Every structure is written in structure tokens, then in C-alpha cells.
Amino acid sequence: MLPLAIRLAALVPVLAGGGGALFGPAFLGEAGGPATSSQVRYLSGLLLGIGLLAWWCAAALPRRAGVFGVLCAIVTLGGLARLCGLAVDPLPPWPHLAALVMELGVVPALWFAAHRTAACGQSRSAQGS
């Protein structure tokens, strides 16, 4: 079930990253000049890569747990940066708040579940030898 949960959660960055890469700031309902468009498309490409990497990790989670952990740390760090922005900027639209819940709630929960699963697997492996 955990790999399926990871794949479902990774739909968010795959779809959001793909949309931002293709449509730039217009995907967010915003206007932007060439610099803003370039930055949104670049960061959207990174987001798309995060989602695709999560899918890759889910396919062989026990072997790729280390990569998955780093990926989760990167996403959580991004969420912390977004959270800091709430202290200085007006409240963003609801999709951005939903992303914050994913970044600081869902992703750490998936990491914790993967970490526990890996630890249980290592414990069983050590008992069997």
C-alpha cells in the first residue's frame, strides 16, 4: 500500500510541475514577464522531476529508501520556506495552502512510513540470519 500512496501523492508534483513547465505563470492564473515566466518554468521542471523521482523510488522502495529520504527532505525544506513566507506575505490561494499541507504533512508521513517499513525489514532480516 505504501508504494501506491507514494505514487498517488506524487501525482501532485507531476501534474503541477508539468502544468507550470508548459504554461508558465498562466498555469497559476498569474501574469508575468519573461523573467518570471522563465523562473516559474524552471522551478516547475524541478517539481516535475521530484514527482517522477518519487515514482521511481516507489517502484523499489526498499532499495531506494535513501534516495526517497533525501527527496522527502528537499520537499519538506521547500514547505518550510513556504511556511516562512506566510509570515511576511498575504495568504496565498487555497491550492498553495494545500501544497503546504502536502509538504509539511503528507510527505513527512510517507517518509516516516517508509522509514518504519525499512527498519522493520532490516529487523526481520537480522533475526532470520
Side-chain angles (χ1 to χ4, degrees):
M1 294 299 290
L2 182 58
L4 177 61
I6 291 169
R7 287 183 181 107
L8 288 174
L11 278 173
V12 174
V14 167
L15 295 174
L22 289 173
F23 302 110
F27 181 72
L28 302 172
E30 301 284 333
T36 302
S37 180
S38 176
Q39 187 71 358
V40 167
R41 289 175 196 275
Y42 171 75
L43 293 174
S44 294
L46 293 179
L47 190 58
L48 175 60
I50 286 169
L52 294 174
L53 187 58
W55 279 349
W56 179 78
C57 288
L61 196 53
R63 286 195 326 264
R64 298 172 182 157
V67 174
F68 186 67
V70 171
L71 184 62
C72 289
I74 290 168
V75 171
T76 302
L77 182 60
L80 291 171
R82 189 188 301 265
L83 182 64
C84 288
L86 291 179
V88 295
D89 293 326
L91 205 58
W94 74 264
H96 299 269
L97 297 174
L100 185 63
V101 171
M102 287 286 294
E103 296 154 357
L104 298 182
V106 175
V107 170
L110 289 172
W111 174 84
F112 183 72
H115 185 72
R116 277 187 57 123
T117 301
C120 287
Q122 289 175 352
S123 173
R124 285 188 200 128
S125 178
Q127 290 173 355
S129 44

